[in-house]
Amino acid sequence: MVRAVVIEGFGEPKDVLTTADRPVPEPGPGEVRIALDLAPIHNHDLAIIRGVYGYRPSLPAIPGTEGVGRIDAVGPGVTDRTVGQRVAVSGATAVWADYFVANAAQALPVPESVDDETAAQLLAMPFSAAVLLDDLRVAAGDWVVINAANGAVGRLMNLLARRRGVRVLNLVRGQASVRALRELGYEPVVDTEADDWLAQAAAATSGAPIVRAVDQVGGRAGADLLELLAPNGELISFGALSGQPWTLSPGTLIFKQVVVKGFWGAKRAEEIGAAERARVLRELVELAASGELRLTVAAVHPLDRAAEAAAASERPGRNAKIALAPGPHRAG
């Protein structure tokens, strides 16, 4: 038997996440079994638990979609993965367990030089950020604005954009988040809790137009980004941390002729094809191995405290992911 996080019904993570013993999963054809070392808690994981994501798993279900670990067993027909190999996995299911099963093709070998905190988060958010940046169709010197910029996607957008010469205006809440981004050299940063933040944001580009806006918050934030966006720009919905729907001004949309669209990383990963996926993943692994891409976690909780970990992951002011791991409590 293995220890696993389980939901019997959809609802608030703090209320529905429990742990239970489950049979050791056996890898089928083309699959591998992985002993989990570390798994981040993503916003989409919490949306799945609430039953409000793009798909609903059959219940009871083991949550979790990304993690790092070592291959413990290989199924029939697997020839390019070996027992003991260290791999990162994204787009899997039932990851929040001592052992989980994934398609061998999903298990990306990662060098030992990449630490667990980075390897556990190497695929989902970095991949989405890289594909999103490609989808924005921006060139060196162009300006993009993103809110909730202190999160994983915001930091990754800054890292990848800087390599291309694309300028990023970062919107965050609170001075702690401002300091965190500035310590990484990501400027300009504007605190949306300041009374005049919209004026500060508008002035931050010295008159250069903001051609793309990425919203991760929803609610009023979409309208604010629309105000900052240049005519003929694009407003992209990447998430809704507030849980609130947009309320956008039809007049602003019409007179600026703005395009509004959504971005779903899982769907884009399917659409771009195997060759492009491989190219993006190679770039990410190279960045991680060189130390240029470094992802941290704010705290690590054991699987049997998943409800507590999920609650911690939604507290304001966090600058890194909360993660789950087998073994003793290591929360900071």
Side-chain angles (χ1 to χ4, degrees), residues 21 76 157 184 256 292:
D21 290 330
M157 280 283 289
L184 294 171
K256 284 192 174 183
E292 190 173 352

Side-chain angles (χ1 to χ4, degrees), residues 248-264:
L248 302 179
S249 163
T252 307
L253 282 173
I254 293 168
F255 299 127
K256 284 192 174 183
Q257 299 189 83
V258 167
V259 172
V260 177
K261 59 192 296 188
F263 179 93
W264 185 11

Side-chain angles (χ1 to χ4, degrees), residues 6 28 37 39 56 67 71 122 132 141 163 171 226 283 306 319 323 325:
V6 176
D37 286 328
R56 285 188 171 203
I71 294 177
L122 184 57
L132 173 61
R163 291 166 58 87
L171 305 181
L226 187 59
E283 179 183 12
N319 290 317

